[in-house]
Amino acid sequence: MVKRTLVGLVLMATMLLLTSCAGSAQPSPTLQDGQKVRVLATTTLVGDVVKQVGGEWVDLHVLLPVGADPHSFEPTPQDAAKLAQADLIFANGLDLEAFLEPLIESAGAAERVVYVSEGIEPLSLAAEVHDHAEESAGHSHGEFDPHVWMDPNNVMVWVDNIEKALSARDPAHAADYAENARAYRQALKDLDAWIREQVAQVPVEKRKIVTDHLVFGYFAQRYGFEQVGAVVPGFSTLSAPSAQELAGLEAQIRALGVKTIFVGSTVNPAIAQRLAEDVGAKIVTVYTGSLSPADGPAATYLDFMRYNVLALVNNLK
């Protein structure tokens, strides 16, 4: 706790210094001919969608590296500098990037931040968890589920928000942003149709998901699955489950005959592995909070979703 507080103080001091400096470190009030919009996206997922809409007219930087867990990420002074220099900052919102708020406040950057999930109706913990023991365990970790990208229909809302913000900042290229957004929306519609075809292979009674934390809520709601349990019974990866909670989850897994526990690539799988050994289940890695490296199987959002859907379908049907 002390370490986290000291890091926060250093970052805030850095932001105050950066925002007091004039010149190129500050966002341009207007764009010159040929100048790109300097964009900072928080996660690789947000960054990929910004890239699809912005195309050649944005100078894109992504704050979190590939493989970073957005729940536990701690920014550096160098990250604070990127924030200060950006014309636009695209973030998921819904408290996913808790680290971002003090930096935004210190930089006076609130008017440059676009929360791409604005307009999406968020799910609450009570609406998602089908295990009453988990609901009463006191591990909400946030009122609403931030993992909206698990449903490509929500990412269409991201596209709308990104297009609107880029067009307002750079009206000279609004037509390009609109065309890129139109093409990507169609790709998301095609993805949605493909997902429906794939999940139809899984019998309804087998559409039960156990994960490391509650990450598949929007996917489950859209495509007819149930999130029946999680190693960490909440939306964040930051807390450890109690022995009582693990015992309850183990009993539930046995009762439902669940044979697979899905664990995100950014999460330490140790607890899930022990649980899997106890109940005779297997661990399957999925991508949850980050894309894969460029040469990996989930290098774009579209690939990310296809990989996860095939992992679910192939292990549940």
Short mmCIF file of all heavy atoms in Angstrom, two decimals, residues 26-40 54-61 85-88 166 169-170 173 177:
data_model
loop_
_atom_site.label_atom_id
_atom_site.label_comp_id
_atom_site.label_asym_id
_atom_site.label_seq_id
_atom_site.Cartn_x
_atom_site.Cartn_y
_atom_site.Cartn_z
N GLN A 26 2.60 19.66 -25.25
CA GLN A 26 1.18 19.86 -25.02
C GLN A 26 0.39 19.53 -26.29
O GLN A 26 0.88 19.68 -27.40
CB GLN A 26 0.91 21.32 -24.62
CG GLN A 26 1.53 21.69 -23.29
CD GLN A 26 1.03 20.81 -22.17
OE1 GLN A 26 -0.17 20.72 -21.93
NE2 GLN A 26 1.94 20.16 -21.47
N PRO A 27 -0.86 19.06 -26.14
CA PRO A 27 -1.68 18.77 -27.30
C PRO A 27 -1.87 20.01 -28.17
O PRO A 27 -2.02 21.12 -27.66
CB PRO A 27 -3.01 18.32 -26.68
CG PRO A 27 -2.66 17.87 -25.31
CD PRO A 27 -1.52 18.75 -24.88
N SER A 28 -1.86 19.81 -29.49
CA SER A 28 -2.02 20.92 -30.41
C SER A 28 -3.46 21.42 -30.39
O SER A 28 -4.39 20.62 -30.47
CB SER A 28 -1.67 20.48 -31.84
OG SER A 28 -0.37 19.95 -31.89
N PRO A 29 -3.68 22.76 -30.26
CA PRO A 29 -5.06 23.26 -30.27
C PRO A 29 -5.75 23.02 -31.61
O PRO A 29 -6.93 22.76 -31.66
CB PRO A 29 -4.88 24.76 -29.98
CG PRO A 29 -3.46 25.06 -30.37
CD PRO A 29 -2.68 23.82 -30.10
N THR A 30 -4.99 23.09 -32.69
CA THR A 30 -5.52 22.77 -34.02
C THR A 30 -4.47 21.97 -34.77
O THR A 30 -3.28 22.13 -34.55
CB THR A 30 -5.85 24.05 -34.82
OG1 THR A 30 -4.67 24.84 -34.93
CG2 THR A 30 -6.95 24.85 -34.14
N LEU A 31 -4.92 21.13 -35.66
CA LEU A 31 -4.00 20.31 -36.44
C LEU A 31 -3.58 21.05 -37.70
O LEU A 31 -4.39 21.67 -38.38
CB LEU A 31 -4.67 18.98 -36.82
CG LEU A 31 -5.03 18.04 -35.66
CD1 LEU A 31 -5.77 16.83 -36.19
CD2 LEU A 31 -3.79 17.62 -34.90
N GLN A 32 -2.30 20.96 -38.00
CA GLN A 32 -1.78 21.54 -39.23
C GLN A 32 -1.95 20.54 -40.36
O GLN A 32 -2.19 19.34 -40.14
CB GLN A 32 -0.30 21.90 -39.06
CG GLN A 32 -0.02 22.83 -37.89
CD GLN A 32 -0.74 24.16 -38.00
OE1 GLN A 32 -0.76 24.77 -39.08
NE2 GLN A 32 -1.34 24.61 -36.90
N ASP A 33 -1.82 21.02 -41.60
CA ASP A 33 -1.95 20.13 -42.76
C ASP A 33 -0.95 18.98 -42.65
O ASP A 33 0.24 19.18 -42.42
CB ASP A 33 -1.69 20.90 -44.05
CG ASP A 33 -2.81 21.88 -44.39
OD1 ASP A 33 -3.90 21.72 -43.81
OD2 ASP A 33 -2.58 22.78 -45.21
N GLY A 34 -1.48 17.76 -42.78
CA GLY A 34 -0.63 16.58 -42.74
C GLY A 34 -0.30 16.09 -41.34
O GLY A 34 0.31 15.03 -41.19
N GLN A 35 -0.69 16.85 -40.33
CA GLN A 35 -0.40 16.44 -38.95
C GLN A 35 -1.40 15.39 -38.49
O GLN A 35 -2.61 15.52 -38.73
CB GLN A 35 -0.45 17.65 -38.02
CG GLN A 35 -0.06 17.33 -36.58
CD GLN A 35 -0.11 18.56 -35.70
OE1 GLN A 35 -0.41 19.66 -36.16
NE2 GLN A 35 0.20 18.40 -34.42
N LYS A 36 -0.90 14.36 -37.85
CA LYS A 36 -1.77 13.30 -37.36
C LYS A 36 -2.28 13.61 -35.95
O LYS A 36 -1.65 14.36 -35.20
CB LYS A 36 -1.02 11.97 -37.35
CG LYS A 36 -0.61 11.48 -38.73
CD LYS A 36 0.06 10.13 -38.64
CE LYS A 36 0.43 9.62 -40.03
NZ LYS A 36 1.03 8.26 -39.99
N VAL A 37 -3.40 13.03 -35.62
CA VAL A 37 -3.93 13.16 -34.26
C VAL A 37 -3.11 12.26 -33.33
O VAL A 37 -2.95 11.07 -33.58
CB VAL A 37 -5.42 12.73 -34.20
CG1 VAL A 37 -5.98 12.96 -32.80
CG2 VAL A 37 -6.24 13.48 -35.23
N ARG A 38 -2.55 12.85 -32.28
CA ARG A 38 -1.77 12.08 -31.32
C ARG A 38 -2.73 11.41 -30.33
O ARG A 38 -3.40 12.08 -29.55
CB ARG A 38 -0.78 12.97 -30.58
CG ARG A 38 0.32 13.50 -31.50
CD ARG A 38 1.28 14.41 -30.77
NE ARG A 38 0.63 15.62 -30.28
CZ ARG A 38 1.28 16.67 -29.78
NH1 ARG A 38 2.60 16.64 -29.67
NH2 ARG A 38 0.63 17.73 -29.37
N VAL A 39 -2.80 10.10 -30.43
CA VAL A 39 -3.79 9.32 -29.68
C VAL A 39 -3.10 8.37 -28.71
O VAL A 39 -2.13 7.70 -29.07
CB VAL A 39 -4.69 8.52 -30.64
CG1 VAL A 39 -5.58 7.55 -29.87
CG2 VAL A 39 -5.55 9.46 -31.49
N LEU A 40 -3.62 8.33 -27.49
CA LEU A 40 -3.18 7.35 -26.50
C LEU A 40 -4.37 6.47 -26.15
O LEU A 40 -5.42 6.97 -25.74
CB LEU A 40 -2.66 8.05 -25.23
CG LEU A 40 -2.15 7.11 -24.13
CD1 LEU A 40 -0.88 6.42 -24.58
CD2 LEU A 40 -1.90 7.89 -22.84
N GLY A 54 -9.18 5.01 -36.98
CA GLY A 54 -8.30 6.14 -37.26
C GLY A 54 -7.46 5.96 -38.50
O GLY A 54 -7.14 6.94 -39.19
N GLY A 55 -7.07 4.72 -38.79
CA GLY A 55 -6.27 4.47 -39.97
C GLY A 55 -4.99 5.28 -40.01
O GLY A 55 -4.30 5.45 -39.01
N GLU A 56 -4.69 5.84 -41.17
CA GLU A 56 -3.43 6.54 -41.38
C GLU A 56 -3.38 7.92 -40.75
O GLU A 56 -2.32 8.56 -40.71
CB GLU A 56 -3.17 6.68 -42.88
CG GLU A 56 -4.21 7.52 -43.61
CD GLU A 56 -3.92 7.64 -45.10
OE1 GLU A 56 -2.79 8.02 -45.45
OE2 GLU A 56 -4.83 7.33 -45.89
N TRP A 57 -4.50 8.40 -40.23
CA TRP A 57 -4.55 9.77 -39.73
C TRP A 57 -4.32 9.91 -38.24
O TRP A 57 -4.47 10.98 -37.67
CB TRP A 57 -5.88 10.42 -40.12
CG TRP A 57 -6.09 10.46 -41.60
CD1 TRP A 57 -7.04 9.81 -42.32
CD2 TRP A 57 -5.30 11.18 -42.55
NE1 TRP A 57 -6.90 10.05 -43.66
CE2 TRP A 57 -5.84 10.91 -43.84
CE3 TRP A 57 -4.18 12.01 -42.46
CZ2 TRP A 57 -5.29 11.44 -45.00
CZ3 TRP A 57 -3.64 12.55 -43.62
CH2 TRP A 57 -4.20 12.26 -44.87
N VAL A 58 -3.98 8.80 -37.58
CA VAL A 58 -3.69 8.88 -36.15
C VAL A 58 -2.27 8.38 -35.86
O VAL A 58 -1.78 7.46 -36.52
CB VAL A 58 -4.70 8.08 -35.30
CG1 VAL A 58 -6.11 8.60 -35.50
CG2 VAL A 58 -4.63 6.59 -35.59
N ASP A 59 -1.64 9.02 -34.91
CA ASP A 59 -0.35 8.58 -34.37
C ASP A 59 -0.67 7.90 -33.05
O ASP A 59 -0.85 8.56 -32.02
CB ASP A 59 0.57 9.79 -34.18
CG ASP A 59 1.92 9.41 -33.58
OD1 ASP A 59 2.26 8.22 -33.58
OD2 ASP A 59 2.62 10.32 -33.09
N LEU A 60 -0.77 6.59 -33.09
CA LEU A 60 -1.33 5.82 -31.97
C LEU A 60 -0.25 5.25 -31.06
O LEU A 60 0.71 4.65 -31.53
CB LEU A 60 -2.19 4.66 -32.53
CG LEU A 60 -2.76 3.67 -31.51
CD1 LEU A 60 -3.76 4.35 -30.58
CD2 LEU A 60 -3.39 2.48 -32.23
N HIS A 61 -0.45 5.45 -29.76
CA HIS A 61 0.37 4.81 -28.73
C HIS A 61 -0.58 4.09 -27.76
O HIS A 61 -1.66 4.60 -27.46
CB HIS A 61 1.21 5.83 -27.97
CG HIS A 61 2.20 6.54 -28.85
ND1 HIS A 61 3.46 6.06 -29.09
CD2 HIS A 61 2.10 7.70 -29.55
CE1 HIS A 61 4.10 6.87 -29.91
NE2 HIS A 61 3.31 7.88 -30.21
N GLN A 85 0.97 14.45 -23.54
CA GLN A 85 1.23 14.84 -24.92
C GLN A 85 0.10 14.48 -25.87
O GLN A 85 0.10 14.93 -27.02
CB GLN A 85 2.53 14.17 -25.39
CG GLN A 85 3.77 14.67 -24.67
CD GLN A 85 4.98 13.80 -24.92
OE1 GLN A 85 4.90 12.77 -25.59
NE2 GLN A 85 6.12 14.21 -24.36
N ALA A 86 -0.84 13.68 -25.45
CA ALA A 86 -1.87 13.18 -26.35
C ALA A 86 -2.94 14.22 -26.66
O ALA A 86 -3.34 14.99 -25.79
CB ALA A 86 -2.52 11.93 -25.75
N ASP A 87 -3.39 14.23 -27.91
CA ASP A 87 -4.55 15.05 -28.29
C ASP A 87 -5.84 14.42 -27.78
O ASP A 87 -6.77 15.12 -27.38
CB ASP A 87 -4.63 15.19 -29.81
CG ASP A 87 -3.45 15.97 -30.38
OD1 ASP A 87 -3.17 17.06 -29.87
OD2 ASP A 87 -2.82 15.48 -31.34
N LEU A 88 -5.90 13.08 -27.85
CA LEU A 88 -7.06 12.34 -27.37
C LEU A 88 -6.59 11.12 -26.60
O LEU A 88 -5.59 10.49 -26.97
CB LEU A 88 -7.95 11.88 -28.54
CG LEU A 88 -8.76 12.95 -29.28
CD1 LEU A 88 -9.42 12.35 -30.53
CD2 LEU A 88 -9.82 13.56 -28.37
N LEU A 166 -12.73 11.39 -33.04
CA LEU A 166 -11.70 11.69 -34.04
C LEU A 166 -12.20 12.72 -35.05
O LEU A 166 -11.45 13.63 -35.45
CB LEU A 166 -11.28 10.41 -34.76
CG LEU A 166 -10.44 9.41 -33.96
CD1 LEU A 166 -10.22 8.14 -34.77
CD2 LEU A 166 -9.11 10.02 -33.55
N ARG A 169 -12.10 16.15 -33.49
CA ARG A 169 -10.74 16.65 -33.33
C ARG A 169 -10.08 16.96 -34.66
O ARG A 169 -9.25 17.85 -34.78
CB ARG A 169 -9.90 15.59 -32.58
CG ARG A 169 -8.49 16.06 -32.21
CD ARG A 169 -8.55 17.15 -31.16
NE ARG A 169 -7.23 17.70 -30.87
CZ ARG A 169 -6.61 18.64 -31.59
NH1 ARG A 169 -7.20 19.11 -32.69
NH2 ARG A 169 -5.44 19.11 -31.24
N ASP A 170 -10.46 16.19 -35.69
CA ASP A 170 -9.82 16.30 -37.01
C ASP A 170 -10.90 16.29 -38.09
O ASP A 170 -11.01 15.33 -38.86
CB ASP A 170 -8.85 15.13 -37.19
CG ASP A 170 -8.12 15.16 -38.52
OD1 ASP A 170 -8.01 16.24 -39.12
OD2 ASP A 170 -7.65 14.08 -38.95
N HIS A 173 -10.64 15.07 -41.89
CA HIS A 173 -10.63 13.67 -42.29
C HIS A 173 -11.85 12.91 -41.77
O HIS A 173 -11.81 11.67 -41.65
CB HIS A 173 -9.33 13.00 -41.82
CG HIS A 173 -8.11 13.62 -42.43
ND1 HIS A 173 -7.21 14.39 -41.70
CD2 HIS A 173 -7.65 13.62 -43.70
CE1 HIS A 173 -6.26 14.81 -42.50
NE2 HIS A 173 -6.49 14.38 -43.71
N TYR A 177 -12.69 8.75 -41.46
CA TYR A 177 -13.06 8.06 -40.23
C TYR A 177 -14.42 7.38 -40.37
O TYR A 177 -14.61 6.25 -39.90
CB TYR A 177 -13.08 9.04 -39.05
CG TYR A 177 -11.76 9.72 -38.78
CD1 TYR A 177 -11.69 11.08 -38.52
CD2 TYR A 177 -10.57 8.99 -38.78
CE1 TYR A 177 -10.48 11.72 -38.26
CE2 TYR A 177 -9.36 9.62 -38.53
CZ TYR A 177 -9.31 10.97 -38.28
OH TYR A 177 -8.10 11.59 -38.04
#
